[in-house]
């Protein structure tokens, strides 16, 4: 049984109101704890990287370098905080991934690599196309909740 299905069963499945409320509280706590930990670690690491840059160069970090420090801090902190595959981490990662794809495509269009389009319709068409292809090609690769819907 995949993580998402266990999550769905715990929140929407059997058990009394008390069990469901406790599950919601636990999942909410995990969500808040992970996001808070990520922000704290990320801010701390970017601060340290900026201080190292200042000490080595004698200059403050300018935007061209700052984005690489943000990338490095994002990789390190994302791995530390979200590496365990839980229902909450999976949900956050999938949400973030979809937003990043649209934002990344818009960023590339803004820089002239693509025509300036609304990428959402293209993304949704691609998602549905690949989903249906996987369903027909090898349904075992999809999460059970996706196969039944």
């Amino acid at each position: 049984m995949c993580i998402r299905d266990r999550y769905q069963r715990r929140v929407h499945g059997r058990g009394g109101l008390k069990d469901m409320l406790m599950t919601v509280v636990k999942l909410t706590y995990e969500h808040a704890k992970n996001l808070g930990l990520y922000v704290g670690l990320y801010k701390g690491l970017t601060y340290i990287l900026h201080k190292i840059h200042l000490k080595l160069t004698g200059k403050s970090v300018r935007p061209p370098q700052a984005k690489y420090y943000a990338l490095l801090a994002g990789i390190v902190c994302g791995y530390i905080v979200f590496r365990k595959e839980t229902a909450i981490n999976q949900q956050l990662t999938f949400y973030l991934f979809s937003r990043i794809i649209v934002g990344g495509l818009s960023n590339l269009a803004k820089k002239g690599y693509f025509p300036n389009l609304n990428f959402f319709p293209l993304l949704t068409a691609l998602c549905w196309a690949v989903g249906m292809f996987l369903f027909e090609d090898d349904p075992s690769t999809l999460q059970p909740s996706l196969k039944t819907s």
Side-chain angles (χ1 to χ4, degrees):
M1 177 180 306
C2 76
I3 291 170
R4 181 88 175 156
D5 291 337
R6 285 193 304 255
Y7 163 78
Q8 290 291 341
R9 180 185 286 173
R10 283 184 4 215
V11 174
H12 305 292
R14 301 179 199 272
L17 182 60
K18 182 180 177 184
D19 291 336
M20 286 191 286
L21 287 175
M22 287 306 296
T23 299
V24 168
V25 168
K26 285 178 186 175
L27 294 172
T28 302
Y29 172 77
E30 179 186 348
H31 182 260
K33 176 189 67 129
N34 288 356
L35 287 176
L37 182 60
Y38 177 82
V39 169
L41 289 173
Y42 174 82
K43 292 288 188 180
L45 185 54
T46 54
Y47 177 79
I48 290 167
L49 290 171
H50 287 210
K51 287 296 182 183
I52 290 170
H53 181 89
L54 182 62
K55 186 170 182 135
L56 292 175
T57 66
K59 298 178 184 176
S60 182
V61 177
R62 305 238 182 243
Q65 295 91 17
K67 64 184 173 186
Y68 298 112
Y69 293 151
L71 180 67
L72 178 60
I75 290 170
V76 170
C77 298
Y79 180 79
I80 290 170
V81 176
F82 297 107
R83 73 181 177 268
K84 185 177 178 190
E85 191 174 350
T86 67
I88 295 297
N89 287 348
Q90 195 178 62
Q91 188 177 37
L92 284 167
T93 300
F94 291 158
Y95 173 81
L96 186 61
F97 183 73
S98 65
R99 300 296 184 188
I100 288 170
I101 293 295
V102 172
L105 291 172
S106 296
N107 182 289
L108 291 172
K110 192 175 180 181
K111 292 179 179 184
Y113 294 107
F114 292 117
N116 197 4
L117 300 170
N118 177 4
F119 287 101
F120 179 77
L122 300 174
L123 178 63
T124 194
L126 182 63
C127 285
W128 281 101
V130 172
M132 294 297 99
F133 175 84
L134 289 173
F135 181 79
E136 294 297 332
D137 185 57
D138 186 4
S140 69
T141 60
L142 299 172
Q143 291 185 347
S145 61
L146 185 58
K147 289 188 289 190
T148 58
S149 63

